[in-house]
């Protein structure tokens, strides 16, 4: 059993986010009692919701079976590490976007630190030293703005 995040979205604007237990082999989803009772209460006043589950970075729809059982269909390709890696690059989640932005900021700080170290270690200032220092400093600035762009201001 694995923990997974589900999102229940109703047409009226109500959004419920909760963690559930997922059996990846069978696709069975076990809802916590709180979520199950909330969904039953909402069924009386709202249209059927959009019910999705996020597993390994991929969002899949949750289907209601007979009775009180819920199930998802997990494709075997989801287990592939290469697919998960490509998914993180092509359409990252908010958390992955923030981590990528932090990494770009870290590389930016390293680049600017490298420019300072490179400039201070030069025995004489010539064109190569000047260009190397400017390149590292410029790369630091570009990486800083790239980090801000990746994080989208969050």
């Amino acid at each position: 059993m694995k923990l997974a995040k589900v999102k229940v979205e109703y047409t009226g604007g109500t959004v419920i986010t909760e963690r559930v237990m997922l059996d990846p082999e069978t696709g069975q989803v076990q809802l916590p009692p709180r979520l199950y009772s909330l969904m039953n209460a909402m069924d009386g006043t709202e249209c059927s919701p959009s019910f999705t589950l996020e597993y390994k970075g991929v969002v899949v729809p949750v289907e209601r079976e007979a009775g009180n059982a819920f199930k998802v269909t997990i494709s075997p390709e989801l287990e592939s590490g290469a697919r998960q890696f490509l998914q993180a690059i092509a359409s990252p989640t908010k958390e992955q976007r923030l981590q990528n932005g932090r990494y770009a900021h870290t590389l930016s700080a390293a680049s600017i630190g490298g420019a300072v170290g490179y400039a201070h270690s030069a025995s004489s200032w010539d064109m190569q030293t000047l260009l190397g220092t400017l390149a590292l400093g410029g790369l630091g600035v570009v990486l800083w703005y790239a980090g801000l762009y990746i994080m989208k201001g969050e």
Side-chain angles (χ1 to χ4, degrees):
M1 294 300 258
K2 304 261 185 192
L3 280 176
K5 189 189 305 183
V6 294
K7 184 187 281 188
V8 184
E9 296 180 272
Y10 290 93
T11 55
T14 304
V15 178
I16 303 169
T17 305
E18 184 67 71
R19 294 205 183 269
V20 297
M21 295 295 290
L22 169 69
D23 185 1
E25 286 83 34
T26 63
Q28 289 297 114
V29 178
Q30 294 179 1
L31 303 181
R34 172 181 58 212
L35 177 60
Y36 186 72
S37 63
L38 270 171
M39 287 179 68
N40 282 338
M42 293 293 285
D43 283 344
T45 60
E46 293 281 339
C47 297
S48 61
S50 164
F51 192 14
T52 58
L53 178 135
E54 182 181 334
Y55 179 67
K56 292 190 174 184
V58 177
V59 177
V60 292
V62 179
E63 300 160 4
R64 182 175 240 161
E65 291 187 323
N68 300 328
F70 294 90
K71 188 172 184 171
V72 295
T73 304
I74 300 173
S75 67
E77 296 147 2
L78 258 176
E79 303 300 324
S80 164
R83 178 175 167 87
Q84 187 177 6
F85 177 74
L86 293 175
Q87 180 74 21
I89 292 172
S91 58
T93 63
K94 178 182 176 182
E95 291 82 13
Q96 289 169 331
R97 231 182 33 248
L98 291 175
Q99 288 291 26
N100 291 341
R102 288 185 190 113
Y103 184 61
H105 281 160
T106 302
L107 291 177
S108 168
S111 179
I112 292 173
V116 171
Y118 186 69
H120 280 89
S121 68
S123 57
S124 66
W125 276 87
D126 55 359
M127 189 57 95
Q128 182 180 359
T129 305
L130 180 64
L131 289 176
T133 303
L134 288 175
L136 283 170
L139 182 64
V141 171
V142 168
L143 285 169
W144 177 263
Y145 282 111
L148 287 176
Y149 179 77
I150 291 169
M151 288 194 282
K152 297 184 180 180
E154 295 175 355

